[in-house]
Amino acid sequence: MSKTRLYEYLIEKLLSSKYSETVVGDLLEIYEARAAFGRFRARVWLVFQLVASLYSLCKQNIYGGAALFKNYFLMAIRNLKKHRAYALINIFSLALGLSAAILILLYLQFEISYDRFHEDLDSIYRVSVRHLKEGDFESESHVFTPPMGEDMKKDMPEVENFVRMSTRRPMYFNVENKAFKEDYVCYASSQLFNMFSFKLISGDPQTALEDPFSIVLSEQAAQRIFGSEEPVGKTIQIGPEYLYQVTGIAEDLPGNSTIQFSALISFATLYSLPNMYLGWNGGNQYITYVKLGENTTQASVEEKFPDFMWRYINETVAPYGWKNDAYLQPLKKVHFHFDASSRTALANFVTFAAVALFILIIACINFINLTTARATRRAREVGMRKVIGATRGNLIRQFLGESVLLTGIAFITGIILAYVLTPTYNQLLNKELNPLQLVNLASIGGLFCLILLVGFASGIYPAFYLSSFQPVKTLKGVLHSGRGKQKFRNTLVVFQFVISVTLIICTFLIRDQLHFIKKYDLGYNKDNMLVIPLPDPAMRSKTEDMRAELLGLPGISQAAASSQVPYQGFTGNGYVPEGYTHSIMIRALDIDEYFLDTFGLKVIKGRNFSKDFSTDDQALLINETLAGQLGWEDPVGKTITRNGEWQVIGVVKDFQFDTLHDKVAPLLMTNNPWGTRFYYLSVKIKTGDMQGTLAAIEDIYKKYSPLISFEYLFLDDAFDRLYKSEERFERIFLYFSLLAIAVALLGLFSLSAY
């Protein structure tokens, strides 16, 4: 063949190339022809024709692909319009399932995001201590004595910085003869704003908590107390003697922060107050955070803890079988692993993730069942399309496209539903979740992938099943769906209701558990018990007079004063029992001689406090747990030392003063309150005219403290509030379970209709 004839042949082949499967052969022939042409002009011209041919080929394929996609899309829309009931049922059931999944995803994202806003999160740890008795575990807490962080920084070069905070406590702030109650007040060291990413709106983060008697307020606290005025530089009175200067305003903390406060008082203030016990034998009410330096591991610091703890505390307690083991808790893991509520938080997270998955599975099963049930109605369509040339691949793409399109519409509907339901959802969770939090690149990409996943998972079986029909038989009206297909649909329905029944059983189990908590015998009587906080020092100095007036009311049968009240736990201190040369941590409660009778507590050995014994201000009552821990078979007459020697005069039957998540801890009770004043009055109210009795109590309260608003709580209500998170979990679980069951029933109803 001559070069001219070869050239003409190649051009003809290029111009006739329309399908991608011939392009490899064309390119091979063009390459050989190009090698045959020796002249430069011929080679250039040939390359030009090659580019033109490839452009024409790509243009045809692109337009062909677009036309094919348009055809698939129009057919899917036409099919959905033709079968509106089917489309609406599938879209609605999928939308319900997807909206539930989105709402649960919001909750899961919020839980995962705890403390993630701190810039140095990976290097911040909380110190916790395990207390061991002769090698056996006794208790563990991240609340310990205050010198821990200071001595760690001094002895361990790996520790770059530390922050210590007190546990939260309520306080009354007096400003211009007005009292403001703040429930979340902490003492905190000056490095708090350097270590954590909390922001100050005004004030210097380096010095705001440096000087004694300085205080930082949150935005909301500043607004409550000072209104629109500039708070920085103003003073707040706390107690009868001390004035605190406002040195900063902190941006309100997000809900996903482990650390929460409405006001911070400088830790240096504690060193200026009397009798604060800030040594290793001090009050057990402080939390220590440390920041490790670069290239420092958690393990390298924990290796030094045995020697560190031995030098500062364990050497003195070792002869008596006691040991304190310290370790570090990564702040990023605290919420799910180390908080008091971690078990509940982690269980809720896993449970809701499973519920979201179950709801999606049920919705997908509905889609599969409805689509396969409609197979006979689309059999002629499948047969006709195969006769006119459609391949099985074309049909699979068509049906998968319909599935993805339907899922996309359901997703849009589900997102709208989730957005509308978010306010109600937030009330149930008691959180501030915002659907816009999901509007980011990662979430949008995840939702898009979820649409494809759900669309393909829902449509892949119907697509392959429908595309397998034989055209001759379907056009004749002969279609054997097969008992296997019916069994498959029945299996899916059974699986749906297995999930539904499982959710129902779990709901009843959770409800029974909550019922058990509410009916559990705590060891004391909390019914009709009114607790009155005494925030005013002037009021606390006249507790006995106030109690006498309250007992004069016809609606009150008993009243007692105490430093704290059961249900929320008591603080602990270091005490040296008889026979010991070192202190051990024991919970402490200061009570008057009427407390045991008012709460129905029983003395099982010895006697109660009494005004008939002048020495009772140096006497103690202990609970059964403490007597057992100390190994005292006959505790009466034994002594315990702290700022003097205290004699045990009785043993009280154990009662649950912590939450039911904790075991009963060792406890001692004194008749000599710290500062000689009690902080609570507990009043036993007779059933009858409750409103009249409360009004009379308020009149007496105002007589002793006219500036502070009358606040009270019923002990049974306060106890119930401790388990509000469990109640919210039970309620939300119930709602999602009912939703899953509704979606399953909707699918069953639709299937029966077909």
Side-chain angles (χ1 to χ4, degrees), residues 137-292:
F137 177 82
E138 289 289 328
S139 64
E140 178 185 341
S141 179
H142 61 273
V143 181
F144 199 57
T145 52
M148 175 71 78
E150 186 176 27
D151 288 333
M152 283 181 66
K153 190 173 189 304
K154 182 178 65 177
D155 293 0
M156 300 179 184
E158 296 88 349
V159 176
E160 181 180 299
N161 204 351
F162 75 95
V163 166
R164 48 188 171 182
M165 302 180 68
S166 68
T167 53
R168 299 181 306 192
R169 60 202 69 185
M171 290 188 183
Y172 273 88
F173 296 168
N174 294 318
V175 178
E176 297 179 353
N177 293 324
K178 293 182 181 179
F180 301 89
K181 183 183 180 183
E182 295 298 329
D183 291 317
Y184 301 112
V185 183
C186 306
Y187 291 92
S189 51
S190 58
Q191 293 299 309
L192 183 134
F193 293 104
N194 290 331
M195 182 183 295
F196 300 104
S197 298
F198 302 130
K199 297 178 181 178
L200 281 186
I201 297 173
S202 57
D204 185 351
Q206 304 296 329
T207 60
L209 292 172
E210 192 171 81
D211 298 328
F213 301 104
S214 57
I215 186 170
V216 172
L217 302 175
S218 68
E219 284 182 90
Q220 292 185 5
Q223 178 66 30
R224 281 192 298 268
I225 297 171
F226 294 102
S228 58
E229 298 180 22
E230 173 57 46
V232 175
K234 295 186 179 297
T235 58
I236 294 173
Q237 182 177 350
I238 304 177
E241 303 170 320
Y242 301 108
L243 289 176
Y244 294 75
Q245 185 176 37
V246 179
T247 54
I249 305 299
E251 188 177 279
D252 286 334
L253 272 61
N256 57 352
S257 173
T258 299
I259 300 172
Q260 293 288 338
F261 59 82
S262 60
L264 295 171
I265 300 175
S266 62
F267 205 88
T269 305
L270 294 173
Y271 290 97
S272 300
L273 298 176
N275 303 320
M276 294 310 299
Y277 305 103
L278 299 174
W280 279 89
N281 190 29
N284 193 33
Q285 50 188 313
Y286 301 97
I287 306 168
T288 299
Y289 297 91
V290 295
K291 179 183 176 183
L292 305 186

Side-chain angles (χ1 to χ4, degrees), residues 337-359:
H337 299 283
F338 301 115
D339 258 356
S341 59
S342 289
R343 284 178 295 180
T344 301
L346 187 59
N348 290 356
F349 183 91
V350 174
T351 302
F352 282 131
V355 169
L357 181 62
F358 287 157
I359 291 175

Side-chain angles (χ1 to χ4, degrees), residues 640-751:
I640 296 177
T641 302
R642 180 182 174 89
N643 297 331
E645 197 172 79
W646 304 69
Q647 188 176 55
V648 177
I649 62 171
V651 179
V652 177
K653 186 175 179 60
D654 278 342
F655 63 99
Q656 185 70 43
F657 52 84
D658 272 324
T659 69
L660 291 174
H661 298 296
D662 305 298
K663 298 187 298 183
V664 176
L667 172 71
L668 59 80
M669 292 173 275
T670 81
N671 192 225
N672 188 355
W674 184 82
T676 69
R677 293 167 185 171
F678 294 106
Y679 284 81
Y680 294 93
L681 270 175
S682 300
V683 178
K684 190 72 171 178
I685 296 182
K686 301 174 185 177
T687 56
D689 185 12
M690 185 68 71
Q691 294 301 320
T693 302
L694 288 174
I697 294 173
E698 182 175 6
D699 291 339
I700 295 174
Y701 185 95
K702 288 294 186 182
K703 176 181 174 182
Y704 288 91
S705 184
L707 296 179
I708 298 178
S709 59
F710 175 54
E711 292 187 1
Y712 63 89
L713 58 90
F714 282 97
L715 197 57
D716 51 357
D717 291 339
F719 178 82
D720 290 342
R721 281 196 295 272
L722 289 175
Y723 306 98
K724 280 296 181 185
S725 60
E726 283 85 352
E727 288 185 1
R728 283 194 296 269
F729 170 77
E730 184 265 341
R731 193 178 302 116
I732 296 170
F733 189 90
L734 173 63
Y735 292 153
F736 281 127
S737 298
L738 292 176
L739 179 62
I741 294 167
V743 172
L745 290 174
L746 184 62
L748 184 62
F749 170 77
S750 304
L751 195 60

